[in-house]
Amino acid sequence: MKEEMAEYVPLSQMEDSEKQNSSLIPIKSRKKGGLITIPFIIANEALESVASYGLLPNMTFYLMREYRMDITTTQNLLFFWSAATNFLPIVGAVVADSYLGRFLTIGLGSIFSFMVTVKSTTEAWPMGTVVLWLTAMIPRARPPPCNQSGQACKSTTTSQYMLLVFSFLLMSIGAGGIRSSSLAFGANQLDKGDNNPNKYKMMESFFTWYYTLCVASVLIALTGIVYLQDRLGWKVGFGVPAILMFLSALSFYLASPFYIKPKVRSNVFASFIQVIVVACKNRELHYPNQNSDYHHKNGSGHQVPTEKLRFLNKACIIKRPEDVKPNGVAANPWNLCTVEQVEELKALIRVLPLWSTGIMISINMSQSSFPLLQAQSMDRHLTKGFEIPAGSFGMFMMIALTIWVFLYDRVMLPLASKIKGRPVRLKPIVRMGIGIFVSCMSMVVSGIIEHVRRRKAIYQGLLNNSQGLVEMSALWLIIPNCLNGIAEAFSSIGSTEFYYSELPRSMSSIASALLGLGMAVASLLASVILSAADKYTKGEGKESWVSSNINKGHYEYYYWFLALLTAFNLIYFVACCWHYGTSVEVDITIKMMELSDDDD
């Protein structure tokens, strides 16, 4: 879910950024757009979310049973898939803004997630969810079943493994295309540059429905799709997401004649690279004494770059008069940048230490395989005739997140404000710290539950039988899931609000991408932590903490190790907050740039 929240752009930010594009829209296309296009855009994103999130929960079972991977290899592969899925939307945003435009980026992303047909002389190759579905449909696409004659089971071949990884990669590319542009493309359809008094109301309604259906999609995926996989097998369980991705692509293309399709524009990511490159080129220059020797954006006035990270100021020093055109624009942006570009990069660098403190929460959230094996080994019956699928316990995190956000915003804050006699609201940075603390508690509780579960399993004589059912209710797992949901609510929403409040409006796309980037980094670091734990906790006659046999391993030690790392991360967070402080000169510069943007 975090990767979805990383895309959310507050209304005020979206309006300012999209208004700049209205002048680029051809006159004929101004009659397009409007509410008629919104259901198709939302359906595209919602169906993609159901399909992609529905594949993840039970993927651990599929890899371990069908490909005979051990738990460490399985979880590492899922970590890499998660990293790609969270990082590629950032690439998709760059591609959409600078090259293809949002319509083509979403359209190609939908096709990649479902299938692309590359025709050769004799055959065509399907991709995305279809490839994953084919691994379940075609026996040769995965290792053959083990025979009962005592011979060793055949391992996964290189081609089989590469086909599986190929399907994951294509689905990540598809997600990068859709998730990077869907929300902003929907806003394009409503912000048509006219004076419609209902435009802002329609925009608010669109964001509300978009967020609501995203959450609903994840809940449907964690219940319906997981239930189909458990009851009807992998062929149906993977086939339904493939059909949903086809419907996702179809729903988007059906409304193609009605869309407003803004032209591409320059991207802020390229601007950062330009500042670094030009600063390196000008490293021998001396700092000027006059403000006029710095290059400014047209109409922004003569501002002096701040003294923090002073080396970057050399990127906006005017070396020769001919470097600036008569209209005030740099003749070559790779030789001269503006003060505004430099200060935007400084603002980003300034928030990076606090951004890094959120990575540990994402590492804790990404531990999907271990809770799945725990749930599978416990009594999951809700009634005598119904049991919760092991892969569906993640829905309690989403439910807790939704309920907590509602209670916090609609009950707790109004009540506290009434008691205090003044508006009460926790600062974003405080909420970030609370999120880290709650995440730490979630890992502690997870370890306690696993410690009790393992003791019961050994008492029942199930040490060597990881498939045996322990006489302990799996409903205990609801507690850490709820704590994770509350940690997510505090951390993700607080972080996003912090980025938007600290970064200039022109960097709204960066603010929305930081959470997704954190998730990508967290997945890679989680793989390193897991591999290290597996390597250094096993030896001759000694079982790894993260053994594939859940009863022989010590998953509780692994959870408590993550809790310890999170505790250290909380101390690091406090140090970052103290170091961050309040830089008046940076804040003033940012406000001046925002006023300048408003004037433009």
Side-chain angles (χ1 to χ4, degrees), residues 1 34 86 96 163 183 200 248 260 266 299 301 406 442 515 550 556 567 593:
M1 181 62 184
N86 284 290
L163 182 65
L183 186 63
Y200 300 134
S248 173
I260 293 174
S266 60
F406 174 79
S442 174
L515 278 178
I550 186 174
E556 71 271 34
M593 289 191 294

Side-chain angles (χ1 to χ4, degrees), residues 100 103-113 116 173-174 177 252-253:
L100 297 182
F103 172 76
L104 276 179
T105 302
I106 297 172
L108 291 176
S110 300
I111 294 174
F112 266 99
S113 287
V116 176
I173 293 174
F252 182 74
Y253 278 109

Side-chain angles (χ1 to χ4, degrees), residues 8-29:
Y8 296 171
V9 182
L11 178 58
S12 61
Q13 305 293 342
M14 183 65 72
E15 289 166 3
D16 288 329
S17 61
E18 299 304 334
K19 283 176 183 177
Q20 298 174 4
N21 298 331
S22 60
S23 62
L24 300 175
I25 302 172
I27 295 176
K28 291 183 180 180
S29 68

Side-chain angles (χ1 to χ4, degrees), residues 6 20 59 74-75 106 124 134-135 143 170 186 220 223 236 258 293 378 403 405 431 450 467 497 502 514 531 565 583:
Q20 298 174 4
M59 189 57 65
T74 296
Q75 184 64 80
I106 297 172
L134 288 179
T135 63
L170 289 171
I220 292 172
T223 53
V236 175
F258 306 105
D293 291 332
M378 300 167 76
I403 293 175
V405 169
R431 279 178 275 159
E450 171 56 21
Q467 303 301 318
E497 187 176 333
E502 295 299 311
L514 283 174
S531 298
L565 292 179
S583 177

Side-chain angles (χ1 to χ4, degrees), residues 3-4 7 45 47-57 59 62-63 67 77-78 80-89 105-106 108-116 126-135 162-180 225 229 237-246 248:
E3 63 270 24
E4 291 292 331
E7 301 168 33
E45 169 64 22
L47 290 171
E48 187 273 335
S49 294
V50 174
S52 58
Y53 282 104
L55 292 173
L56 183 60
M59 189 57 65
Y62 183 65
L63 297 179
Y67 286 83
L77 181 57
L78 296 181
F80 294 141
W81 184 20
S82 176
T85 303
N86 284 290
F87 177 73
L88 287 176
T105 302
I106 297 172
L108 291 176
S110 300
I111 294 174
F112 266 99
S113 287
F114 171 63
M115 65 178 292
V116 176
M127 302 183 182
T129 52
V130 174
V131 175
L132 183 63
W133 176 61
L134 288 179
T135 63
M162 293 307 297
L163 182 65
L164 177 70
V165 172
F166 189 51
S167 69
F168 290 164
L169 177 61
L170 289 171
M171 285 187 286
S172 295
I173 293 174
I178 296 173
R179 299 177 189 180
S180 64
I225 302 299
Q229 293 168 355
F238 289 168
V240 170
I243 294 172
L244 291 176
M245 276 312 311
F246 170 75
S248 173

Side-chain angles (χ1 to χ4, degrees), residues 330-564:
N332 185 348
W334 292 97
N335 287 330
L336 179 63
C337 299
T338 64
V339 172
E340 290 75 16
Q341 284 179 273
V342 172
E343 293 304 320
E344 285 175 354
L345 179 57
K346 288 181 181 180
L348 176 62
I349 294 174
R350 189 168 172 252
V351 302
L352 285 181
L354 279 168
W355 164 81
S356 67
T357 63
I359 293 176
M360 195 62 224
I361 295 182
S362 299
I363 291 175
N364 295 341
M365 298 281 187
S366 64
Q367 308 297 325
S368 59
S369 294
F370 304 127
L372 187 69
L373 295 182
Q374 285 177 286
Q376 183 70 14
S377 69
M378 300 167 76
D379 181 10
R380 293 174 280 113
H381 281 88
L382 202 57
T383 64
K384 288 185 178 181
F386 176 77
E387 64 176 0
I388 304 174
S392 294
F393 276 82
M395 70 179 178
F396 293 108
M397 185 186 80
M398 301 302 305
I399 294 172
L401 186 154
T402 305
I403 293 175
W404 181 262
V405 169
F406 174 79
L407 290 176
Y408 173 79
D409 195 55
R410 300 296 180 180
V411 179
M412 295 181 181
L413 289 183
L415 182 61
S417 300
K418 187 175 181 180
I419 294 173
K420 288 283 188 180
R422 56 179 175 81
V424 174
R425 182 166 292 273
L426 291 177
K427 293 181 180 180
I429 204 167
V430 174
R431 279 178 275 159
M432 292 165 64
I434 294 175
I436 296 174
F437 175 77
V438 175
S439 181
C440 181
M441 291 300 99
S442 174
M443 291 298 100
V444 171
V445 172
S446 295
I448 294 173
I449 293 173
E450 171 56 21
H451 181 68
V452 175
R453 189 211 63 81
R454 184 175 181 273
R455 285 181 60 185
K456 286 182 176 289
I458 295 174
Y459 180 77
Q460 292 175 221
L462 299 176
L463 181 62
N464 296 313
N465 181 13
S466 61
Q467 303 301 318
L469 188 64
V470 180
E471 294 176 359
M472 180 178 177
S473 175
L475 297 181
W476 284 103
L477 297 175
I478 295 177
I479 299 175
N481 273 288
C482 288
L483 289 174
N484 277 332
I486 295 172
E488 173 95 349
F490 273 112
S491 178
S492 297
I493 299 175
S495 297
T496 303
E497 187 176 333
F498 173 75
Y499 301 145
Y500 280 113
S501 64
E502 295 299 311
L503 297 177
R505 292 180 185 176
S506 58
M507 296 174 65
S508 59
S509 60
I510 296 291
S512 62
L514 283 174
L515 278 178
L517 180 61
M519 282 289 291
V521 173
S523 295
L524 297 177
L525 290 179
S527 175
V528 173
I529 293 172
L530 177 63
S531 298
D534 181 54
K535 178 180 179 181
Y536 294 110
T537 60
K538 68 180 178 182
E540 294 184 8
K542 188 178 179 182
E543 199 76 24
S544 167
W545 284 1
V546 289
S547 169
S548 296
N549 184 329
I550 186 174
N551 296 331
K552 284 188 174 182
H554 282 282
Y555 290 4
E556 71 271 34
Y557 294 168
Y558 183 68
Y559 282 132
W560 289 335
F561 178 63
L562 292 178
L564 182 63

Side-chain angles (χ1 to χ4, degrees), residues 205-277:
S205 179
F206 164 62
F207 289 143
T208 300
W209 278 104
Y210 187 94
Y211 301 155
T212 302
L213 289 177
C214 280
V215 173
S217 299
V218 177
L219 290 176
I220 292 172
L222 294 176
T223 53
I225 302 299
V226 170
Y227 186 82
L228 288 177
Q229 293 168 355
D230 278 4
R231 297 296 179 182
L232 301 178
W234 304 117
K235 294 179 181 180
V236 175
F238 289 168
V240 170
I243 294 172
L244 291 176
M245 276 312 311
F246 170 75
L247 296 175
S248 173
L250 180 63
S251 68
F252 182 74
Y253 278 109
L254 280 176
S256 178
F258 306 105
Y259 291 137
I260 293 174
K261 303 170 185 176
K263 295 180 181 179
V264 298
R265 64 184 191 278
S266 60
N267 193 274
V268 69
F269 292 95
S271 173
F272 293 156
I273 298 174
Q274 287 172 350
V275 171
I276 296 172
V277 170

